[in-house]
Amino acid sequence: MTETETTVIPDPNHPLMPLARAYTDYFTPTVTGVENLPASGPALVIGNHSSIYWAPEVWITFMAMLDRRPDEPSYGVAHDILLRAPILGDSLRQFGVIPASREAAAKGLKDGGAVMVYPGGDWEACRPWTDRGKIDFADRKGFIRLALELGVPVIPAVANGGHDSIFVLSRGERTARLLQLDKLVRAKVFPYTLGLPFGIAPILPQIPLPASVTVSFLPALDWSTQPGDPEDGDLVDGYYDRTVETMQTELDRLRAETPNPVAAGLKKHVAGLPGPLKGLADLL
């Protein structure tokens, strides 16, 4: 989004809408606490990132934001590679997707929008499967400084289940360094995964398992509703720690509630089958 662009309110009849809903339905989503998101005015929504490129929590969270704020601007962020793609880039922009940059996020907030960001970025989205229950923002604190500077509430949207759908073996940091991906595409990862149809493979899109994804919107973080100096390093560090702790506590609760998201997702899909076939859900 540039200074000359107008505020975007996604069209409910946008061609991407039915595709997005069909995609999220595969992950049998549950969304709670969306009433904590302001129905109007600016808000910074922060989430934990999963599943590499599949990232079902992104679409589930964004769709919930659109449903909550049908007549208000809501924005998601995406890598420049996607926004520069022919046809797809224009469609995403019309849908309310903006570049993953501080400038674009600030512009969206100043326009009165709810802006969804994932501080952990590709580092968190590509964390090993064994760390699927961990919030990992990689010590990135720009969202705190931005919220304090603009005086906007910060709403955590904690997601569980997405990272159960893909077996990430390694972030592939060494490969990323060798390929100089940081300079080429601003990426510090080159993930290796295990799955179908490629077996053990680097970065190729394995078929995700139908894990059930839950997104929990929490109340605005208390520090974000109070004045604070974004240049105060100690203050920012303290707010960062409190934010991660709050979101980790909620993720721990969600995982205790649904310890096996893949089994839960399969059960939901089977329960939706016609006739006596849905009875198979009791076996799962």
Side-chain angles (χ1 to χ4, degrees):
M1 177 180 292
T2 65
E3 292 296 330
T4 60
E5 288 179 330
T6 57
T7 301
V8 176
I9 298 178
D11 181 357
N13 298 315
H14 191 284
L16 275 181
M17 191 70 75
L19 293 176
R21 294 200 184 278
Y23 175 66
T24 58
D25 283 348
Y26 176 73
F27 296 96
T28 56
T30 298
V31 177
T32 62
V34 72
E35 67 276 4
N36 290 314
L37 177 66
S40 63
L44 188 61
V45 179
I46 58 170
N48 54 310
H49 212 358
S50 296
S51 309
I52 314 180
Y53 24 71
W54 297 112
E57 74 285 344
V58 174
W59 287 100
I60 294 167
T61 301
F62 191 53
M63 300 296 284
M65 291 168 60
L66 297 183
D67 291 341
R68 171 69 171 163
R69 300 163 53 97
D71 300 316
E72 296 286 325
S74 293
Y75 303 105
V77 300
H79 199 285
D80 289 346
I81 291 176
L82 292 176
L83 293 177
R84 291 174 181 169
I87 302 176
L88 175 62
D90 288 340
S91 293
L92 289 173
R93 289 178 187 276
Q94 294 167 7
F95 203 59
V97 179
I98 60 178
S101 70
R102 188 185 190 283
E103 293 75 17
K107 177 66 166 59
L109 291 168
K110 290 176 181 178
D111 283 345
V115 177
M116 176 185 67
V117 299
Y118 288 86
D122 55 0
W123 182 261
E124 184 176 42
C126 297
R127 68 192 184 281
W129 183 85
T130 51
D131 289 340
R132 61 195 184 281
K134 180 183 178 182
I135 302 288
D136 188 354
F137 286 172
D139 211 33
R140 296 170 182 170
K141 302 165 185 171
F143 71 96
I144 294 176
R145 297 186 180 93
L146 180 61
L148 291 176
E149 178 184 324
L150 299 182
V152 297
V154 176
I155 314 294
V158 182
N160 176 52
H163 216 63
D164 290 77
S165 66
I166 292 289
F167 289 95
V168 182
L169 302 176
S170 166
R171 286 189 176 97
E173 304 100 305
R174 182 177 299 179
T175 304
R177 287 195 298 270
L178 289 173
L179 296 175
Q180 297 187 326
L181 295 184
D182 192 20
K183 296 180 180 178
L184 294 173
V185 292
R186 294 191 298 123
K188 295 182 179 181
V189 296
F190 191 82
Y192 290 82
T193 62
L194 170 65
L196 296 174
F198 301 111
I200 296 177
I203 216 167
L204 294 173
Q206 311 277 18
I207 298 173
L209 299 173
S212 186
V213 175
T214 300
V215 174
S216 173
F217 286 82
L218 299 180
L221 296 169
D222 56 2
W223 61 260
S224 69
T225 61
Q226 304 169 5
D229 181 3
E231 301 304 320
D232 185 334
D234 290 337
L235 185 71
V236 170
D237 289 347
Y239 287 168
Y240 174 85
D241 292 340
R242 285 163 59 183
T243 300
V244 172
E245 181 181 1
T246 296
M247 295 181 68
Q248 185 64 60
T249 297
E250 180 64 3
L251 181 56
D252 291 344
R253 185 188 72 81
L254 294 176
R255 291 204 68 80
E257 191 175 83
T258 308
N260 193 332
V262 174
L266 288 172
K267 186 171 183 177
K268 287 183 179 181
H269 278 294
V270 172
L273 294 175
L277 291 176
K278 64 182 178 182
L280 295 174
D282 294 333
L283 301 177
L284 297 175

